[in-house]
Amino acid sequence: MNLNILVLPGDGIGVEVTGEAVRVLREVARAAGHSVRFTEGLIGGVAIKAEGTPFPAKTEKLALAADAVLLGAVGLPEFENAPPELRPERGLLRIRAAMGVFANLRPVRTYKPLLDSSPLKNSVVEGTDMIIVRELTGGIYYGTPRGISGEGAEERAVNTMTYSRAEIERVSRMAFTLARTRRKKVTSVDKSNVLENSQLWRKVVIEVSKDFPDVALDHMLVDNCAMQLVLNPKRFDIVLTENMFGDILSDEGAVLTGSIGMLPSASIGEKRPSGAWTGLYEPVHGSAPDIAGQNKANPLGAIGSVAAMLEYTFGLTNEAAAVNQAIESVLAQGRLTADLKPVGTPATTEQVGAAVRAAIQL
Ligand code: IPM
Ligand code: MG
């Protein structure tokens, strides 16, 4: 198979973690006899500095031409006070929209060797295995009108939370389809006791569920969900929710398993005419400028994102499983970066990457 991949390292630790993820992908391709071609582009703060925009037209062209995109992270403290359209984060929102990747899959599962890294009791987290399916190209992140206007006491800011039936339907179908490959349970999360937006969300999710009678559906208000995630995370299989709720809940979910550095994500859109899924793959963590360039960052979220890419975009399930097994074996060896609170000296980003490559069996 020919894999044509765009790498967008972005800012901060994005550079180091995608570096290791690319090396792992090269190793998998070598071992399994695939040919892989990488191109590289700019996004986020580095793109603002070089091109004056967080999402240059050249990057968009490369992204649409690639089979899949591997992204590191965006965000730099120097842009903290910049207007929204000139912030690194806007690059991420624009590439998601340009690629049409409306469903963001964030798997949260515990690894035995990491149970002690979780802030929760072992007995609470052990066995947790869920996927948060976050709607990614709609809702309050993109709704208009938006902006700040007026002056003095009348200065006012507005954002708009908006969803169409079609937007809710397609991401719901994705969630129910995914549930069929797992424990067949979808929990839809909303705030329908307050928001009309959530009332439509709930109505459409119920309608879609009729096409999946073998999948159990329940509904949970987002505030209660935030609580249940720490009280009883094992109860969740697929968590289906809108863009901003999913952003918030997925950070909470991430830390249950020990560190946000562990979490991969896959953002999927429509099937291409070729039959492949458009995909943008990125770790859930941010650019962590405080540790950037120090060889300390955990590359496993980025490496796990490569496994997701192999699975969802290329349908290479054996190769994906080999990467995930290599990650587990490295954790079992206790080769942990500082975020996972290892006993003794933490491993470096490069050491963890090398250990994963060495553990790949194909
Ligand atoms: C995420 C991030 C982004 C988001 C930011 C960096 C724009 O927090 O992917 O979860 O809010 O979607
Ligand atoms: Mg987030």
Side-chain angles (χ1 to χ4, degrees), residues 140-154:
I140 198 166
Y141 273 49
Y142 293 92
T144 52
R146 67 185 296 159
I148 305 180
S149 59
E151 270 168 44
E154 291 309 312

Side-chain angles (χ1 to χ4, degrees), residues 142-216:
Y142 293 92
T144 52
R146 67 185 296 159
I148 305 180
S149 59
E151 270 168 44
E154 291 309 312
E155 189 171 11
R156 182 175 295 278
V158 59
N159 288 96
T160 303
M161 189 183 217
T162 171
Y163 271 109
S164 67
R165 167 181 290 276
E167 285 175 313
I168 302 168
E169 203 180 311
R170 63 186 183 181
V171 71
S172 300
R173 282 196 187 282
M174 188 83 91
F176 280 97
T177 306
L178 201 59
R180 278 191 166 152
T181 67
R182 299 170 45 92
R183 302 198 304 279
K184 298 193 172 56
K185 187 173 161 201
V186 171
T187 301
S188 173
V189 176
D190 63 37
K191 188 71 186 172
S192 62
N193 54 346
V194 178
L195 304 174
E196 286 80 357
N197 204 273
S198 285
Q199 284 164 6
L200 180 64
W201 181 276
R202 195 176 279 215
K203 185 167 105 181
V204 175
V205 171
I206 290 172
E207 284 171 17
V208 170
S209 75
K210 306 246 153 70
D211 290 340
F212 299 83
D214 51 324
V215 177

Side-chain angles (χ1 to χ4, degrees), residues 271-277:
K271 247 186 186 164
R272 295 232 176 121
S274 66
W277 294 97

Side-chain angles (χ1 to χ4, degrees), residues 189-263:
V189 176
D190 63 37
K191 188 71 186 172
S192 62
N193 54 346
V194 178
L195 304 174
E196 286 80 357
N197 204 273
S198 285
Q199 284 164 6
L200 180 64
W201 181 276
R202 195 176 279 215
K203 185 167 105 181
V204 175
V205 171
I206 290 172
E207 284 171 17
V208 170
S209 75
K210 306 246 153 70
D211 290 340
F212 299 83
D214 51 324
V215 177
L217 168 67
D218 65 353
H219 304 273
M220 197 178 271
L221 297 174
V222 62
D223 48 351
N224 185 28
C225 181
M227 183 167 72
Q228 296 304 327
L229 276 174
V230 289
L231 283 179
N232 186 15
K234 280 177 264 204
R235 81 172 291 296
F236 296 102
D237 179 11
I238 300 282
V239 175
L240 165 64
T241 193
E242 67 89 44
N243 203 343
M244 187 167 66
F245 296 162
D247 177 47
I248 297 168
L249 295 175
S250 60
D251 267 33
E252 190 187 358
V255 82
L256 296 180
T257 66
S259 161
I260 194 166
M262 289 301 300
L263 241 74

